């Protein structure tokens, strides 16, 4: 039998927040197999880690900082919040491990998943789901390393840790404590089954073009460069990428095209999309968030692009982003086989979407709670999202994922 309990408290003081958590935990006395912890980056996560290891010494632990805190079925936690999802599954197996992203990120991820499988007592086995939380920047390489072990035979779902100001203050929390540039991997062998979904809340606007030139990205510590994939789009259809993108957006970025600059908030509702395939005649898109126009007219993005990729101009709005979270949760419940067996869930919601939705965010928490029938869940807000898109694990931006657990 699987049971989930969520805890969300909010306080500027970490000590006060943990005192409130202790009171809530004392009322329920959970005996978890896995604890997921997401929290405002202003908190002292060394203090949080000590608290969790003392309270739950035998539980696998995974989490990290989340932009603006956490949400649950009770609502939006808001500034200063800490959210815990406690999974009690005595017949399941769970393991976590963290590895610093030094050198080759794919190799680091491969080591992390092997260590997590060992910690779960399941070396060499295929988990039902791989959950990860990582530092932003090398997500594609991390997924490559995990796929060396599990391929696309099970979903790899998670997020990139976030701070409140996009200033690099994000951290990851694993079994040995907080880290600033690591990947934390969890392997889940649930006794009640797991459902999941990974989608975006945007639609194409019409224009599209092919990436004809990308920038050079360094590969590891060797200094070798590659043009296979890059987070810098130099040209679309042979023209400077920023000029093409600005034209698709009706000239709203003209000033920054001329001088360069940050376009992160300007483009949250107007990302780029990659056709990921079709389900029931509906095209699904993996979203790419442009964050900078460089002095030479290139677009810097939060995900890597290959030359020859066709990019689509996409559009979103607040109402769609509010509604989509509930729909993704419903899709995950359906993949589990329906709500009769539902114990609760875990939601990853892009921090860029969260900031764009603004004061409508309480409605997002309500939409998810309604879709999950009021069952316990915790949601985090991330700077990158990972999930399974049409049978392939991938990294994207401005996405939403949901994991649900059966009883």
């Amino acid at each position: 039998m699987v049971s989930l309990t969520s805890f969300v408290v909010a306080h500027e003081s970490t000590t006060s927040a943990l005192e409130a958590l202790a009171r809530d935990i004392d009322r329920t006395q959970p005996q978890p197999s896995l604890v997921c912890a997401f929290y405002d980056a202003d908190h002292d996560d060394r203090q949080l880690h000590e608290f969790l290891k003392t309270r739950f010494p035998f539980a696998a632990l995974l989490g990290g900082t989340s932009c603006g805190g956490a949400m649950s079925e009770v609502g939006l936690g808001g500034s200063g919040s800490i959210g815990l999802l406690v999974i009690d599954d005595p017949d399941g197996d769970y393991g976590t491990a963290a590895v610093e992203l030094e050198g080759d990120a794919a190799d680091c991820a491969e080591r992390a998943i092997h260590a997590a499988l060992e910690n779960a007592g399941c070396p060499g086995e295929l988990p039902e789901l791989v959950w990860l939380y990582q530092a932003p920047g090398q997500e594609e390489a991390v997924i490559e390393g995990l796929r060396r072990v599990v391929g696309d035979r099970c979903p790899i779902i998670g997020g990139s840790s976030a701070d409140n100001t996009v200033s690099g203050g994000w951290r990851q929390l694993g079994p040995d404590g907080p880290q600033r540039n690591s990947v934390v991997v969890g392997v889940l062998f649930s006794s009640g089954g797991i459902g999941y979904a990974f989608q975006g809340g945007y639609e194409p606007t019409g224009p599209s073009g092919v990436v004809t030139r990308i920038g050079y990205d360094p590969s590891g510590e060797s200094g070798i460069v590659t043009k296979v994939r890059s987070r810098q789009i130099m040209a679309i259809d042979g023209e400077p990428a920023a000029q093409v993108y600005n034209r698709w957006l009706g000239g709203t970025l003209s000033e920054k095209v001329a001088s360069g600059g940050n376009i992160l908030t300007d483009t949250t509702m107007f990302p780029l999309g990659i056709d990921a395939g079709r389900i029931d005649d509906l095209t699904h898109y993996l979203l790419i968030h442009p964050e900078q126009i460089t002095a030479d007219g290139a677009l810097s993005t939060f995900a890597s692009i290959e030359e020859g990729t066709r990019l689509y101009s996409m559009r979103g709005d607040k109402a769609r982003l509010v509604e989509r979270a509930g729909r993704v949760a419903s899709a995950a419940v359906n993949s589990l086989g329906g709500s009769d067996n539902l114990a609760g869930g875990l939601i990853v919601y892009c921090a860029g979407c969260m900031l764009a939705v603004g004061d409508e965010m309480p409605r997002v928490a309500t939409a998810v709670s309604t879709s999950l029938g009021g069952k316990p869940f915790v949601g985090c807000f991330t700077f990158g999202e990972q999930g399974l898109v049409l049978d392939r694990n991938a990294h994207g931006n401005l996405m939403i994922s949901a994991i649900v657990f059966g009883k």
Side-chain angles (χ1 to χ4, degrees):
M1 184 74 174
V2 180
S3 65
L4 273 66
T5 309
S6 68
F7 303 95
V8 175
V9 299
H11 202 286
E12 290 184 4
S13 161
T14 303
T15 298
S16 298
L18 295 181
E19 288 173 350
L21 274 177
R23 290 192 293 270
D24 291 345
I25 290 169
D26 285 343
R27 282 194 287 268
T28 58
Q29 295 291 322
Q31 301 293 321
S33 308
L34 174 67
V35 175
C36 297
F38 304 103
Y39 49 92
D40 188 302
D42 290 337
H43 277 300
D44 181 347
D45 37 17
R46 293 191 180 280
Q47 191 177 350
L48 173 60
H49 177 258
E50 182 179 353
F51 172 87
L52 294 174
K53 294 301 286 186
T54 300
R55 284 277 170 169
F56 308 120
F58 304 111
L61 175 62
L62 182 152
T65 56
S66 166
C67 183
M71 65 177 173
S72 74
E73 74 279 7
V74 176
L76 185 67
S79 177
S81 59
I82 298 174
L84 303 182
L85 185 70
V86 174
I87 301 170
D88 186 353
D89 182 7
D91 296 321
D93 293 301
Y94 299 81
T96 59
V99 173
E100 285 281 351
L101 292 171
E102 299 176 342
D104 188 293
D107 288 345
C108 295
E110 188 175 4
R111 294 202 310 273
I113 190 171
H114 281 303
L117 286 167
E118 288 282 351
N119 291 338
C122 303
E125 296 185 37
L126 181 69
E128 188 168 2
L129 184 140
V130 175
W131 168 253
L132 75 158
Y133 212 62
Q134 60 186 304
Q138 301 186 77
E139 290 92 342
E140 290 88 0
V142 166
I143 290 177
E144 176 192 336
L146 298 176
R147 292 182 70 250
R148 291 174 186 172
V149 181
V150 301
D152 294 312
R153 296 173 296 165
C154 77
I156 299 170
I157 295 181
S160 306
S161 53
D163 61 4
N164 300 334
T165 56
V166 202
S167 58
W170 44 72
R171 281 101 63 199
Q172 308 80 47
L173 189 66
D176 298 321
Q179 296 173 293
R180 292 188 175 274
N181 186 40
S182 72
V183 56
V184 188
V185 174
V187 291
L188 282 59
F189 298 83
S190 172
S191 66
I194 295 176
Y196 55 87
F198 181 57
Q199 300 176 14
Y202 296 74
E203 63 181 4
T205 63
S208 69
V210 174
V211 176
T212 50
R213 188 160 60 95
I214 59 176
Y216 288 90
D217 282 347
S219 177
E221 296 180 329
S222 66
I224 299 172
V225 296
T226 175
K227 284 194 70 176
V228 176
R229 298 181 66 89
S230 174
R231 293 193 173 194
Q232 191 170 85
I233 307 170
M234 304 297 295
I236 299 173
D237 291 338
E239 297 183 64
Q243 290 185 19
V244 175
Y245 183 53
N246 183 46
R247 188 164 64 241
W248 291 352
L249 270 58
T252 59
L253 302 175
S254 295
E255 182 177 338
K256 291 179 179 177
V257 170
S259 59
N262 187 289
I263 56 172
L264 187 63
T265 57
D266 302 297
T267 60
T268 297
M269 292 298 186
F270 306 98
L272 300 168
I274 298 173
D275 185 341
R278 298 173 70 84
I279 298 177
D280 296 331
D281 293 326
L282 179 66
T283 301
H284 287 247
Y285 294 90
L286 189 66
L287 300 173
I288 309 294
H289 194 177
E291 55 99 8
Q292 188 90 13
I293 293 177
T294 67
D296 55 358
L299 286 176
S300 292
T301 65
F302 279 133
S304 296
I305 308 290
E306 295 181 3
E307 277 189 10
T309 300
R310 179 168 290 279
L311 297 176
Y312 294 83
S313 177
M314 306 293 290
R315 175 181 60 203
D317 57 55
K318 281 189 178 183
R320 185 183 297 271
L321 294 179
V322 169
E323 295 168 0
R324 178 60 61 176
R327 292 182 181 180
V328 175
S330 292
V333 172
N334 291 338
S335 76
L336 183 67
S339 59
D340 291 346
N341 187 41
L342 179 64
L346 178 60
I347 305 295
V348 178
Y349 191 89
C350 171
C353 296
M354 184 267 286
L355 294 171
V357 169
D359 57 9
E360 295 292 307
M361 274 305 299
R363 293 181 55 208
V364 172
T366 299
V368 173
S369 182
T370 299
S371 294
L372 298 184
K375 295 292 174 55
F377 83 90
V378 162
C380 57
F381 308 111
T382 55
F383 284 165
E385 297 75 47
Q386 298 83 49
L388 190 69
V389 183
L390 277 77
D391 299 323
R392 184 168 181 85
N393 291 299
H395 165 67
N397 309 137
L398 302 168
M399 305 287 286
I400 305 165
S401 68
I403 303 169
V404 295
F405 296 83
K407 297 176 183 177

